[in-house]
Short mmCIF file of all heavy atoms in Angstrom, two decimals:
data_model
loop_
_atom_site.label_atom_id
_atom_site.label_comp_id
_atom_site.label_asym_id
_atom_site.label_seq_id
_atom_site.Cartn_x
_atom_site.Cartn_y
_atom_site.Cartn_z
N MET A 19 0.85 -1.19 0.00
CA MET A 19 0.00 0.00 0.00
C MET A 19 0.89 1.24 0.00
O MET A 19 2.03 1.22 0.40
CB MET A 19 -0.92 0.02 1.22
CG MET A 19 -1.89 -1.13 1.31
SD MET A 19 -3.21 -1.03 0.09
CE MET A 19 -4.30 0.15 0.87
N LYS A 20 0.27 2.34 -0.43
CA LYS A 20 0.99 3.60 -0.55
C LYS A 20 0.11 4.69 0.06
O LYS A 20 -1.12 4.63 -0.05
CB LYS A 20 1.21 3.84 -2.03
CG LYS A 20 2.08 4.98 -2.40
CD LYS A 20 2.31 4.91 -3.91
CE LYS A 20 2.70 6.25 -4.46
NZ LYS A 20 2.80 6.22 -5.91
N VAL A 21 0.73 5.66 0.70
CA VAL A 21 -0.04 6.75 1.29
C VAL A 21 0.26 8.05 0.54
O VAL A 21 1.36 8.26 0.03
CB VAL A 21 0.26 6.86 2.81
CG1 VAL A 21 1.66 7.39 3.05
CG2 VAL A 21 -0.77 7.70 3.52
N TRP A 22 -0.75 8.89 0.44
CA TRP A 22 -0.60 10.17 -0.23
C TRP A 22 -1.36 11.22 0.58
O TRP A 22 -2.46 10.94 1.11
CB TRP A 22 -1.19 10.11 -1.65
CG TRP A 22 -1.13 11.42 -2.38
CD1 TRP A 22 -0.04 11.99 -2.97
CD2 TRP A 22 -2.22 12.33 -2.61
NE1 TRP A 22 -0.38 13.19 -3.54
CE2 TRP A 22 -1.70 13.42 -3.33
CE3 TRP A 22 -3.58 12.32 -2.25
CZ2 TRP A 22 -2.51 14.50 -3.71
CZ3 TRP A 22 -4.38 13.39 -2.63
CH2 TRP A 22 -3.83 14.47 -3.37
N VAL A 23 -0.76 12.39 0.73
CA VAL A 23 -1.40 13.47 1.49
C VAL A 23 -1.69 14.64 0.55
O VAL A 23 -0.81 15.09 -0.21
CB VAL A 23 -0.50 13.95 2.65
CG1 VAL A 23 -1.10 15.18 3.32
CG2 VAL A 23 -0.30 12.83 3.66
N ASP A 24 -2.89 15.11 0.59
CA ASP A 24 -3.29 16.30 -0.19
C ASP A 24 -2.78 17.54 0.54
O ASP A 24 -3.34 17.99 1.53
CB ASP A 24 -4.81 16.34 -0.33
CG ASP A 24 -5.26 17.47 -1.26
OD1 ASP A 24 -4.45 18.37 -1.55
OD2 ASP A 24 -6.43 17.44 -1.68
N ARG A 25 -1.68 18.08 0.05
CA ARG A 25 -1.05 19.23 0.70
C ARG A 25 -1.91 20.48 0.62
O ARG A 25 -1.69 21.44 1.38
CB ARG A 25 0.29 19.52 0.01
CG ARG A 25 1.33 18.45 0.23
CD ARG A 25 1.91 18.56 1.61
NE ARG A 25 3.08 17.71 1.78
CZ ARG A 25 3.70 17.57 2.93
NH1 ARG A 25 3.30 18.21 4.00
NH2 ARG A 25 4.75 16.77 3.02
N THR A 26 -2.88 20.50 -0.25
CA THR A 26 -3.72 21.69 -0.35
C THR A 26 -4.71 21.78 0.80
O THR A 26 -5.27 22.85 1.04
CB THR A 26 -4.50 21.72 -1.69
OG1 THR A 26 -5.44 20.65 -1.71
CG2 THR A 26 -3.56 21.62 -2.88
N VAL A 27 -4.90 20.67 1.51
CA VAL A 27 -5.83 20.71 2.66
C VAL A 27 -5.15 20.40 3.99
O VAL A 27 -5.67 20.76 5.05
CB VAL A 27 -7.05 19.79 2.46
CG1 VAL A 27 -7.89 20.25 1.29
CG2 VAL A 27 -6.63 18.35 2.29
N CYS A 28 -3.97 19.76 3.97
CA CYS A 28 -3.24 19.46 5.22
C CYS A 28 -2.92 20.76 5.95
O CYS A 28 -2.46 21.73 5.36
CB CYS A 28 -1.95 18.71 4.89
SG CYS A 28 -0.85 18.49 6.31
N GLU A 29 -3.15 20.74 7.28
CA GLU A 29 -2.91 21.94 8.09
C GLU A 29 -1.71 21.79 9.02
O GLU A 29 -1.51 22.63 9.90
CB GLU A 29 -4.19 22.27 8.88
CG GLU A 29 -5.34 22.65 7.95
CD GLU A 29 -6.64 22.95 8.69
OE1 GLU A 29 -6.76 22.56 9.87
OE2 GLU A 29 -7.51 23.58 8.07
N ASN A 30 -0.95 20.70 8.85
CA ASN A 30 0.31 20.52 9.59
C ASN A 30 0.17 20.56 11.11
O ASN A 30 1.08 20.97 11.81
CB ASN A 30 1.36 21.56 9.14
CG ASN A 30 1.81 21.32 7.72
OD1 ASN A 30 2.30 20.24 7.38
ND2 ASN A 30 1.61 22.30 6.86
N HIS A 31 -0.97 20.10 11.61
CA HIS A 31 -1.10 20.05 13.07
C HIS A 31 -0.43 18.81 13.64
O HIS A 31 -0.13 18.76 14.82
CB HIS A 31 -2.56 20.09 13.49
CG HIS A 31 -3.22 21.39 13.17
ND1 HIS A 31 -2.70 22.60 13.53
CD2 HIS A 31 -4.36 21.67 12.49
CE1 HIS A 31 -3.49 23.58 13.11
NE2 HIS A 31 -4.50 23.04 12.46
N GLY A 32 -0.25 17.78 12.82
CA GLY A 32 0.59 16.66 13.21
C GLY A 32 -0.08 15.50 13.91
O GLY A 32 0.60 14.64 14.46
N GLN A 33 -1.40 15.43 13.90
CA GLN A 33 -2.04 14.27 14.54
C GLN A 33 -1.53 12.96 13.95
O GLN A 33 -1.34 11.98 14.66
CB GLN A 33 -3.57 14.34 14.36
CG GLN A 33 -4.25 15.36 15.23
CD GLN A 33 -4.38 16.70 14.51
OE1 GLN A 33 -3.57 17.06 13.66
NE2 GLN A 33 -5.41 17.44 14.86
N CYS A 34 -1.30 12.94 12.65
CA CYS A 34 -0.83 11.71 11.99
C CYS A 34 0.53 11.29 12.52
O CYS A 34 0.83 10.10 12.58
CB CYS A 34 -0.79 11.90 10.48
SG CYS A 34 0.18 13.33 9.95
N THR A 35 1.35 12.24 12.91
CA THR A 35 2.70 11.90 13.37
C THR A 35 2.65 11.19 14.72
O THR A 35 3.54 10.40 15.04
CB THR A 35 3.61 13.15 13.48
OG1 THR A 35 3.16 13.97 14.56
CG2 THR A 35 3.60 13.94 12.19
N ALA A 36 1.62 11.46 15.50
CA ALA A 36 1.46 10.79 16.79
C ALA A 36 0.90 9.39 16.60
O ALA A 36 1.29 8.45 17.30
CB ALA A 36 0.55 11.61 17.70
N VAL A 37 0.00 9.24 15.63
CA VAL A 37 -0.68 7.96 15.42
C VAL A 37 0.17 6.98 14.62
O VAL A 37 0.18 5.78 14.89
CB VAL A 37 -2.03 8.20 14.70
CG1 VAL A 37 -2.71 6.90 14.34
CG2 VAL A 37 -2.94 9.05 15.58
N ALA A 38 0.90 7.49 13.64
CA ALA A 38 1.68 6.62 12.76
C ALA A 38 3.07 7.21 12.52
O ALA A 38 3.41 7.64 11.41
CB ALA A 38 0.94 6.43 11.43
N PRO A 39 3.90 7.23 13.57
CA PRO A 39 5.22 7.86 13.46
C PRO A 39 6.15 7.16 12.47
O PRO A 39 7.16 7.74 12.06
CB PRO A 39 5.76 7.79 14.89
CG PRO A 39 5.00 6.69 15.55
CD PRO A 39 3.65 6.70 14.92
N GLU A 40 5.82 5.92 12.12
CA GLU A 40 6.67 5.21 11.15
C GLU A 40 6.58 5.86 9.77
O GLU A 40 7.50 5.79 8.97
CB GLU A 40 6.26 3.74 11.03
CG GLU A 40 6.30 2.97 12.35
CD GLU A 40 5.03 3.15 13.17
OE1 GLU A 40 4.12 3.87 12.70
OE2 GLU A 40 4.96 2.59 14.26
N ASN A 41 5.44 6.47 9.47
CA ASN A 41 5.25 7.07 8.15
C ASN A 41 5.20 8.60 8.16
O ASN A 41 5.45 9.23 7.13
CB ASN A 41 3.97 6.54 7.48
CG ASN A 41 4.18 5.18 6.86
OD1 ASN A 41 4.10 4.17 7.56
ND2 ASN A 41 4.47 5.14 5.56
N PHE A 42 4.85 9.19 9.32
CA PHE A 42 4.65 10.65 9.35
C PHE A 42 5.53 11.28 10.42
O PHE A 42 5.65 10.77 11.52
CB PHE A 42 3.18 10.98 9.66
CG PHE A 42 2.20 10.43 8.69
CD1 PHE A 42 1.63 9.18 8.88
CD2 PHE A 42 1.82 11.16 7.56
CE1 PHE A 42 0.71 8.65 7.97
CE2 PHE A 42 0.90 10.66 6.66
CZ PHE A 42 0.35 9.40 6.86
N SER A 43 6.10 12.43 10.10
CA SER A 43 6.91 13.16 11.09
C SER A 43 6.81 14.65 10.79
O SER A 43 6.41 15.06 9.69
CB SER A 43 8.37 12.69 11.04
OG SER A 43 8.91 12.94 9.76
N MET A 44 7.20 15.43 11.79
CA MET A 44 7.25 16.88 11.60
C MET A 44 8.70 17.29 11.39
O MET A 44 9.58 16.86 12.13
CB MET A 44 6.70 17.62 12.83
CG MET A 44 5.25 17.29 13.17
SD MET A 44 4.08 17.66 11.84
CE MET A 44 4.09 19.46 11.88
N ASN A 45 8.99 18.13 10.41
CA ASN A 45 10.36 18.59 10.24
C ASN A 45 10.61 19.82 11.11
O ASN A 45 9.72 20.29 11.82
CB ASN A 45 10.70 18.82 8.76
CG ASN A 45 10.02 20.04 8.17
OD1 ASN A 45 9.50 20.90 8.90
ND2 ASN A 45 10.02 20.12 6.85
N LYS A 46 11.82 20.33 11.08
CA LYS A 46 12.19 21.43 11.99
C LYS A 46 11.44 22.72 11.68
O LYS A 46 11.38 23.62 12.51
CB LYS A 46 13.69 21.67 11.95
CG LYS A 46 14.24 22.07 10.60
CD LYS A 46 15.73 22.30 10.68
CE LYS A 46 16.37 22.52 9.32
NZ LYS A 46 15.77 23.59 8.52
N ASP A 47 10.85 22.80 10.51
CA ASP A 47 10.07 23.98 10.14
C ASP A 47 8.59 23.81 10.47
O ASP A 47 7.76 24.67 10.11
CB ASP A 47 10.22 24.27 8.65
CG ASP A 47 11.67 24.62 8.29
OD1 ASP A 47 12.31 25.34 9.08
OD2 ASP A 47 12.15 24.15 7.25
N GLY A 48 8.25 22.69 11.13
CA GLY A 48 6.86 22.48 11.50
C GLY A 48 5.98 22.01 10.36
O GLY A 48 4.76 22.16 10.41
N VAL A 49 6.63 21.44 9.34
CA VAL A 49 5.87 20.92 8.20
C VAL A 49 5.89 19.39 8.27
O VAL A 49 6.94 18.78 8.49
CB VAL A 49 6.49 21.40 6.87
CG1 VAL A 49 5.78 20.76 5.68
CG2 VAL A 49 6.43 22.92 6.79
N MET A 50 4.75 18.79 8.09
CA MET A 50 4.65 17.35 8.12
C MET A 50 5.32 16.75 6.88
O MET A 50 5.11 17.23 5.77
CB MET A 50 3.18 16.94 8.20
CG MET A 50 2.94 15.46 8.39
SD MET A 50 3.01 14.53 6.86
CE MET A 50 1.54 15.15 6.06
N GLU A 51 6.13 15.71 7.12
CA GLU A 51 6.73 14.96 6.03
C GLU A 51 6.28 13.52 6.15
O GLU A 51 5.99 13.06 7.26
CB GLU A 51 8.26 15.03 6.11
CG GLU A 51 8.80 16.42 5.90
CD GLU A 51 10.33 16.48 5.97
OE1 GLU A 51 10.92 15.55 6.57
OE2 GLU A 51 10.89 17.44 5.43
N TYR A 52 6.24 12.82 5.04
CA TYR A 52 5.79 11.43 5.13
C TYR A 52 6.50 10.53 4.13
O TYR A 52 7.02 10.99 3.12
CB TYR A 52 4.27 11.34 4.95
CG TYR A 52 3.75 11.69 3.57
CD1 TYR A 52 3.42 10.69 2.66
CD2 TYR A 52 3.58 13.02 3.20
CE1 TYR A 52 2.91 11.01 1.41
CE2 TYR A 52 3.08 13.34 1.94
CZ TYR A 52 2.75 12.34 1.05
OH TYR A 52 2.26 12.66 -0.19
N GLU A 53 6.50 9.26 4.51
CA GLU A 53 7.06 8.19 3.67
C GLU A 53 5.88 7.54 2.94
O GLU A 53 4.92 7.11 3.58
CB GLU A 53 7.77 7.19 4.59
CG GLU A 53 8.15 5.89 3.94
CD GLU A 53 9.16 6.07 2.82
OE1 GLU A 53 10.09 6.87 2.98
OE2 GLU A 53 8.99 5.40 1.78
N GLU A 54 5.97 7.49 1.62
CA GLU A 54 4.84 6.97 0.84
C GLU A 54 4.60 5.48 1.04
O GLU A 54 3.44 5.05 1.12
CB GLU A 54 5.10 7.22 -0.66
CG GLU A 54 4.78 8.62 -1.11
CD GLU A 54 4.84 8.71 -2.63
OE1 GLU A 54 5.21 7.73 -3.30
OE2 GLU A 54 4.50 9.78 -3.14
N ALA A 55 5.65 4.72 1.09
CA ALA A 55 5.50 3.26 1.16
C ALA A 55 5.02 2.84 2.56
O ALA A 55 5.59 3.25 3.57
CB ALA A 55 6.82 2.59 0.85
N VAL A 56 3.96 2.06 2.60
CA VAL A 56 3.40 1.59 3.87
C VAL A 56 3.67 0.09 3.99
O VAL A 56 3.22 -0.69 3.15
CB VAL A 56 1.89 1.85 3.94
CG1 VAL A 56 1.32 1.36 5.27
CG2 VAL A 56 1.59 3.34 3.74
N SER A 57 4.40 -0.30 5.04
CA SER A 57 4.66 -1.73 5.23
C SER A 57 3.42 -2.39 5.81
O SER A 57 2.55 -1.73 6.40
CB SER A 57 5.85 -1.93 6.17
OG SER A 57 5.49 -1.59 7.49
N ASP A 58 3.35 -3.71 5.66
CA ASP A 58 2.20 -4.44 6.21
C ASP A 58 2.09 -4.21 7.72
O ASP A 58 0.99 -4.08 8.26
CB ASP A 58 2.33 -5.94 5.92
CG ASP A 58 2.16 -6.25 4.44
OD1 ASP A 58 1.64 -5.38 3.71
OD2 ASP A 58 2.55 -7.35 4.03
N ASP A 59 3.23 -4.14 8.39
CA ASP A 59 3.22 -3.96 9.84
C ASP A 59 2.65 -2.60 10.25
O ASP A 59 2.10 -2.46 11.34
CB ASP A 59 4.65 -4.07 10.40
CG ASP A 59 5.14 -5.51 10.43
OD1 ASP A 59 4.32 -6.41 10.24
OD2 ASP A 59 6.35 -5.70 10.64
N ASP A 60 2.79 -1.61 9.39
CA ASP A 60 2.37 -0.24 9.74
C ASP A 60 0.99 0.12 9.19
O ASP A 60 0.50 1.22 9.43
CB ASP A 60 3.40 0.77 9.22
CG ASP A 60 4.76 0.58 9.88
OD1 ASP A 60 4.79 0.10 11.02
OD2 ASP A 60 5.78 0.93 9.24
N LEU A 61 0.37 -0.82 8.48
CA LEU A 61 -0.90 -0.50 7.82
C LEU A 61 -1.99 -0.06 8.80
O LEU A 61 -2.71 0.91 8.56
CB LEU A 61 -1.35 -1.69 6.98
CG LEU A 61 -2.58 -1.47 6.10
CD1 LEU A 61 -2.40 -0.27 5.18
CD2 LEU A 61 -2.89 -2.73 5.30
N ASP A 62 -2.12 -0.77 9.93
CA ASP A 62 -3.16 -0.41 10.90
C ASP A 62 -2.97 1.01 11.42
O ASP A 62 -3.93 1.77 11.54
CB ASP A 62 -3.15 -1.38 12.09
CG ASP A 62 -3.77 -2.73 11.73
OD1 ASP A 62 -4.37 -2.83 10.64
OD2 ASP A 62 -3.64 -3.67 12.54
N SER A 63 -1.71 1.37 11.70
CA SER A 63 -1.43 2.72 12.21
C SER A 63 -1.76 3.77 11.16
O SER A 63 -2.35 4.82 11.48
CB SER A 63 0.04 2.84 12.59
OG SER A 63 0.38 1.91 13.57
N VAL A 64 -1.40 3.50 9.92
CA VAL A 64 -1.67 4.48 8.87
C VAL A 64 -3.19 4.60 8.63
O VAL A 64 -3.70 5.70 8.40
CB VAL A 64 -0.92 4.11 7.57
CG1 VAL A 64 -1.33 5.02 6.42
CG2 VAL A 64 0.59 4.23 7.80
N GLU A 65 -3.90 3.48 8.74
CA GLU A 65 -5.36 3.56 8.62
C GLU A 65 -5.95 4.41 9.74
O GLU A 65 -6.90 5.19 9.52
CB GLU A 65 -5.97 2.15 8.64
CG GLU A 65 -5.76 1.42 7.33
CD GLU A 65 -6.25 -0.02 7.35
OE1 GLU A 65 -6.42 -0.60 8.45
OE2 GLU A 65 -6.46 -0.57 6.27
N ASP A 66 -5.37 4.30 10.95
CA ASP A 66 -5.82 5.15 12.06
C ASP A 66 -5.52 6.62 11.77
O ASP A 66 -6.30 7.52 12.12
CB ASP A 66 -5.13 4.73 13.36
CG ASP A 66 -5.66 3.41 13.90
OD1 ASP A 66 -6.73 2.97 13.45
OD2 ASP A 66 -4.99 2.82 14.77
N ALA A 67 -4.39 6.88 11.12
CA ALA A 67 -4.04 8.27 10.76
C ALA A 67 -5.03 8.81 9.73
O ALA A 67 -5.46 9.97 9.81
CB ALA A 67 -2.62 8.33 10.22
N VAL A 68 -5.40 7.96 8.77
CA VAL A 68 -6.41 8.37 7.78
C VAL A 68 -7.71 8.75 8.50
O VAL A 68 -8.29 9.82 8.25
CB VAL A 68 -6.68 7.23 6.77
CG1 VAL A 68 -7.88 7.56 5.88
CG2 VAL A 68 -5.45 6.96 5.92
N ASP A 69 -8.14 7.88 9.41
CA ASP A 69 -9.40 8.13 10.12
C ASP A 69 -9.31 9.34 11.03
O ASP A 69 -10.31 10.03 11.26
CB ASP A 69 -9.78 6.90 10.96
CG ASP A 69 -10.14 5.70 10.10
OD1 ASP A 69 -10.46 5.89 8.91
OD2 ASP A 69 -10.10 4.56 10.62
N GLY A 70 -8.10 9.61 11.58
CA GLY A 70 -7.96 10.67 12.56
C GLY A 70 -7.61 12.03 12.01
O GLY A 70 -7.65 13.02 12.74
N CYS A 71 -7.26 12.09 10.73
CA CYS A 71 -6.90 13.40 10.17
C CYS A 71 -8.13 14.32 10.18
O CYS A 71 -9.16 13.99 9.60
CB CYS A 71 -6.38 13.23 8.74
SG CYS A 71 -6.02 14.82 7.96
N PRO A 72 -8.02 15.46 10.84
CA PRO A 72 -9.19 16.33 11.00
C PRO A 72 -9.70 16.95 9.70
O PRO A 72 -10.86 17.40 9.65
CB PRO A 72 -8.71 17.42 11.98
CG PRO A 72 -7.23 17.39 11.89
CD PRO A 72 -6.84 15.99 11.55
N VAL A 73 -8.86 16.95 8.69
CA VAL A 73 -9.31 17.54 7.42
C VAL A 73 -9.35 16.50 6.29
O VAL A 73 -9.48 16.84 5.12
CB VAL A 73 -8.42 18.74 7.02
CG1 VAL A 73 -8.61 19.89 7.98
CG2 VAL A 73 -6.95 18.33 6.93
N GLN A 74 -9.25 15.23 6.68
CA GLN A 74 -9.32 14.11 5.72
C GLN A 74 -8.38 14.30 4.53
O GLN A 74 -8.79 14.17 3.37
CB GLN A 74 -10.78 13.93 5.25
CG GLN A 74 -11.71 13.63 6.42
CD GLN A 74 -13.15 13.46 6.01
OE1 GLN A 74 -13.64 14.17 5.13
NE2 GLN A 74 -13.84 12.54 6.65
N ALA A 75 -7.13 14.59 4.86
CA ALA A 75 -6.14 14.87 3.82
C ALA A 75 -5.33 13.64 3.42
O ALA A 75 -4.56 13.70 2.47
CB ALA A 75 -5.19 15.96 4.29
N ILE A 76 -5.48 12.52 4.18
CA ILE A 76 -4.62 11.35 3.94
C ILE A 76 -5.39 10.28 3.18
O ILE A 76 -6.52 9.95 3.53
CB ILE A 76 -4.12 10.77 5.28
CG1 ILE A 76 -3.50 11.86 6.16
CG2 ILE A 76 -3.12 9.65 5.02
CD1 ILE A 76 -3.14 11.39 7.56
N PHE A 77 -4.73 9.75 2.15
CA PHE A 77 -5.37 8.73 1.31
C PHE A 77 -4.45 7.53 1.20
O PHE A 77 -3.25 7.66 1.00
CB PHE A 77 -5.65 9.29 -0.08
CG PHE A 77 -6.60 10.46 -0.06
CD1 PHE A 77 -6.13 11.75 0.14
CD2 PHE A 77 -7.97 10.25 -0.19
CE1 PHE A 77 -7.00 12.83 0.19
CE2 PHE A 77 -8.84 11.33 -0.14
CZ PHE A 77 -8.37 12.62 0.05
N LEU A 78 -5.04 6.34 1.33
CA LEU A 78 -4.33 5.09 1.15
C LEU A 78 -4.72 4.51 -0.20
O LEU A 78 -5.90 4.53 -0.57
CB LEU A 78 -4.74 4.10 2.23
CG LEU A 78 -3.81 3.86 3.40
CD1 LEU A 78 -4.47 2.91 4.38
CD2 LEU A 78 -2.45 3.36 3.00
N MET A 79 -3.74 3.98 -0.94
CA MET A 79 -4.07 3.40 -2.24
C MET A 79 -3.16 2.23 -2.53
O MET A 79 -2.07 2.11 -1.95
CB MET A 79 -3.94 4.46 -3.32
CG MET A 79 -2.56 5.07 -3.41
SD MET A 79 -2.55 6.60 -4.35
CE MET A 79 -3.09 7.75 -3.10
N ASP A 80 -3.62 1.35 -3.40
CA ASP A 80 -2.77 0.27 -3.86
C ASP A 80 -1.64 0.87 -4.68
O ASP A 80 -1.82 1.88 -5.34
CB ASP A 80 -3.57 -0.71 -4.72
CG ASP A 80 -4.58 -1.48 -3.89
OD1 ASP A 80 -4.26 -1.78 -2.72
OD2 ASP A 80 -5.67 -1.77 -4.40
N GLU A 81 -0.51 0.19 -4.65
CA GLU A 81 0.65 0.70 -5.40
C GLU A 81 0.33 0.76 -6.88
O GLU A 81 -0.36 -0.08 -7.40
CB GLU A 81 1.85 -0.24 -5.17
CG GLU A 81 2.13 -0.40 -3.69
CD GLU A 81 3.38 0.33 -3.26
OE1 GLU A 81 3.98 1.05 -4.05
OE2 GLU A 81 3.75 0.16 -2.10
S1 SF4 B 10 -3.27 14.82 10.54
FE1 SF4 B 10 -3.90 15.51 8.48
S2 SF4 B 10 -3.86 17.73 8.58
FE2 SF4 B 10 -2.68 16.98 10.31
S3 SF4 B 10 -0.55 16.93 9.59
FE3 SF4 B 10 -1.43 14.90 9.25
S4 SF4 B 10 -2.19 14.98 7.13
FE4 SF4 B 10 -1.88 17.08 7.79
#
């Protein structure tokens, strides 16, 4: 699976970084960065990040 974030709606509050730190992190400028590739082990966490994003900016898709 692969994750994609719509930067036009992401507000960089970072909820995803708390829920799925394997794929999402905040850089020193306070901007969220993410790793597109989602491992099987991290899929549940990334799905929680999708559900928890307050602006529904995170999308999971097949490669
Ligand atoms: S939870 Fe959503 S809005 Fe917040 S940083 Fe992550 S993708 Fe952006």
Side-chain angles (χ1 to χ4, degrees):
M19 298 289 280
K20 188 172 158 185
V21 70
W22 177 76
V23 174
D24 186 345
R25 293 283 190 185
T26 66
V27 296
C28 172
E29 295 179 342
N30 292 302
H31 294 309
Q33 286 92 330
C34 54
T35 69
V37 174
E40 303 84 0
N41 280 83
F42 301 91
S43 61
M44 300 301 289
N45 71 15
K46 61 179 172 54
D47 297 320
V49 175
M50 186 277 292
E51 294 181 339
Y52 67 100
E53 168 63 41
E54 280 190 354
V56 180
S57 72
D58 290 344
D59 285 348
D60 297 332
L61 186 55
D62 284 350
S63 300
V64 172
E65 284 176 340
D66 288 344
V68 171
D69 292 340
C71 177
V73 292
Q74 300 179 322
I76 309 173
F77 298 87
L78 258 177
M79 58 196 82
D80 290 326
E81 305 253 6

